[in-house]
Amino acid sequence: MNPESPEERGGTPVGRRVFLGTLGLGALGVLTAPALQRGLESLAGKDPTGLSGLLPNGGGFRYYSVAASVPAKNATDYRLTIGGMVDHPRTYTLADLRALPQTRLVKDVQCVTGWRVPGTPFEGVRLSDLLDAAGVHPTARALRFTCFDGTYTESLTLAQARRPDVLVALRMQDKDIGHDHGGPVRLYVAPMYFYKSAKWLSGITVTDRVRPGYWENLGYDVDAWVGRSNGRTDEPTG
C-alpha cells in the first residue's frame, strides 16, 4: 500500500471524545458508539457521531466534518489519485472525471444515526470503470479511500467496490456537489449507511486486505449494509 501524502496526513481531527464531552457524555468512551448514537437520536436534531458543524439544511441533510477545517477544491486544483496494487496508476482532474461516462442513481440516503433522505439523485463515474482502467492486480482484495480533509478514511472490499451502485460522484440532487456535501467529488455507496460515502474524496488505493476506515476504528461496522449492520433495522436503500 502506498504511503499517504503529506496532505492526507495533515488534517487536525475532531475527536469523538471531544465532541461527546460537549454533550456531557465523553466518559462513556468510543466503544459504546453505536448504542450511544441510537440513544441520542431524539436530542433536538443533533447527531452524536463526534462531528463538528451540525447544521440541518434544506432537503434533510446535515453537514458533517471530523476535521477542524477542510480546504475548498475546484476544477483548477482538484485531483483524484488511483494507485496501490494496479498496473496503471492514474491521477484524474475534475475535467477528466466529467468526460467519462456518467451513471445516475436515485436512492434513499440513510444515516446510521437515524435520519433519511428519500429519492436522492447522484451522478458520477462507476467506481468499477475506474478500477478497470487502472488494471487491478489479481491478488488485490480491497480499497482504501482517503480524503482531502486530511483525516477521514473509508474502505470497501473489491467485490463491494465493483457493484453498479457505487459511484465516484460529481453531482447530487441534480447539481454539482458543493463543498459542504463533500464536493467537488465524493464517494457514493448506495446500499450502505452514509458514512461509507466518503466526502472530499482525493485518493483510492487498491490493497491486499481491508483497512478499517475512520469510524470503523471507533466501533462502526466495516460492512455497513443498511438495515443489516450497526444494530439497526432500517429499510434497505438499494
Side-chain angles (χ1 to χ4, degrees):
M1 172 178 168
N2 293 335
E4 293 178 340
S5 69
E7 178 189 43
E8 291 166 343
R9 294 195 302 266
T12 302
V14 175
R16 188 184 195 84
R17 292 180 186 274
V18 172
F19 182 85
L20 292 178
T22 68
L23 299 177
L25 296 171
L28 293 179
V30 299
L31 294 179
T32 61
L36 180 59
Q37 286 179 319
R38 293 191 294 275
L40 292 176
E41 284 171 9
S42 62
L43 291 181
K46 302 258 185 205
D47 188 299
T49 53
L51 301 161
S52 63
L54 303 184
L55 300 174
N57 82 344
F61 284 89
R62 301 173 189 177
Y63 297 140
Y64 302 151
S65 174
V66 297
S69 64
V70 183
K73 300 283 185 180
N74 55 39
T76 301
D77 58 2
Y78 177 78
R79 299 293 184 273
L80 173 65
T81 61
I82 300 180
M85 300 176 66
V86 298
D87 294 326
H88 309 292
R90 176 77 186 270
T91 298
Y92 290 90
T93 65
L94 192 56
D96 292 334
L97 293 170
R98 287 172 173 166
L100 295 173
Q102 304 291 300
T103 295
R104 187 174 190 267
L105 302 173
V106 181
K107 306 280 188 179
D108 291 358
V109 167
Q110 177 70 53
C111 182
V112 74
T113 59
W115 59 264
R116 190 181 189 105
V117 182
T120 304
F122 279 87
E123 297 174 60
V125 182
R126 282 182 173 164
L127 180 53
S128 59
D129 291 345
L130 297 178
L131 295 176
D132 288 344
V136 175
H137 292 181
T139 56
R141 295 291 180 268
L143 277 72
R144 175 176 168 82
F145 302 94
T146 49
C147 306
F148 63 78
D149 68 347
T151 302
Y152 203 79
T153 59
E154 253 310 331
S155 66
L156 290 173
T157 67
L158 194 56
Q160 292 165 352
R162 289 194 176 280
R163 288 177 57 102
D165 52 4
V166 177
L167 303 179
V168 171
L170 311 178
R171 291 174 62 80
M172 171 181 164
Q173 296 177 311
D174 296 318
K175 57 190 176 183
D176 292 344
I177 299 177
H179 177 75
D180 288 331
H181 281 303
V185 178
R186 69 176 298 159
L187 188 64
Y188 177 53
V189 186
M192 292 188 176
Y193 286 107
F194 209 34
Y195 66 87
K196 299 297 287 191
S197 296
K199 296 165 68 173
W200 306 301
L201 183 65
S202 63
I204 301 172
T205 304
V206 181
T207 64
D208 60 349
R209 65 186 185 278
V210 169
R211 270 80 166 176
Y214 182 94
W215 284 118
E216 286 117 39
N217 282 317
L218 296 176
Y220 285 39
D221 286 356
V222 173
D223 293 324
W225 306 108
V226 173
R228 292 189 282 128
S229 63
N230 292 282
R232 299 192 61 91
T233 58
D234 305 288
E235 288 295 319
T237 57

